[in-house]
Amino acid sequence: MIYFVLIGSSIFTYFISLAKIPEQLIGFLGGVNLPPSGIIVLMLAAYLVLGAVFDELAAMIVTLPFALPIIVYFGYDPVWWAIINVIIVELGLVIPPIGLVILIINAMRPDIPLRDLYRSIVPFVVADLAVLALLTAFPSLALWLPAILRG
């Protein structure tokens, strides 16, 4: 299954780059009157929806040809975006209304009502949203350890 996603996304990425869609998207976003932080917030909202609907690997690999050129164009660090991307897609997996992870837990433990599972995940979602807001507002929080490891 993972190989099918990887092979399909490689073919998709090749055709996307061949059609120069990322360049056209950057040209469009350059003309929009939104600051770079507004573009990031829109991308985070889109990834939250994608994380709720798709598998995390599929959501990240399929959208990478679109997202990475935008991130680099606006001057953000790709390592920072990778950290943000993992957090937002994983958050999409637990956030209601779909919450695939919650549905899997409910299938494993049908004795726990779905309402209780959703209620119990709220503090963790709030904490993850706070972490995401901090890392988005202050990218150096996410980049201090990679900076130390780079030397």
Side-chain angles (χ1 to χ4, degrees):
M1 171 80 180
I2 292 177
Y3 289 119
F4 287 124
V5 171
L6 290 175
I7 292 168
S9 67
S10 296
I11 294 169
F12 179 71
T13 301
Y14 175 73
F15 284 114
I16 290 297
S17 63
L18 191 65
K20 300 196 185 296
I21 293 175
E23 290 86 0
Q24 294 172 356
L25 186 60
I26 287 172
F28 172 74
L29 290 176
V32 175
N33 291 332
L34 275 176
S37 59
I39 301 290
I40 294 295
V41 169
L42 289 176
M43 289 176 67
L44 290 177
Y47 269 101
L48 198 60
V49 172
L50 283 174
V53 177
F54 290 116
D55 178 48
E56 71 271 4
L57 182 66
M60 286 190 279
I61 290 178
V62 169
T63 59
L64 185 64
F66 300 109
L68 190 59
I70 293 169
I71 295 301
V72 171
Y73 174 77
F74 285 115
Y76 291 104
D77 191 347
V79 174
W80 169 79
W81 178 251
I83 294 167
I84 294 293
N85 196 359
V86 168
I87 292 171
I88 194 70
V89 172
E90 294 296 328
L91 186 60
L93 285 173
V94 296
I95 203 163
I98 298 172
L100 293 175
V101 172
I102 300 299
L103 295 177
I104 291 170
I105 291 172
N106 189 342
M108 291 171 46
R109 294 286 310 267
D111 57 319
I112 302 173
L114 195 58
R115 179 180 304 259
D116 290 344
L117 287 175
Y118 278 125
R119 195 175 309 131
S120 66
I121 199 71
V122 169
F124 297 104
V125 169
V126 170
D128 276 347
L129 287 172
V131 166
L132 189 64
L134 282 172
L135 292 179
T136 304
F138 306 106
S140 61
L141 291 175
L143 295 174
W144 69 270
L145 184 59
I148 290 173
L149 294 176
R150 286 182 193 162

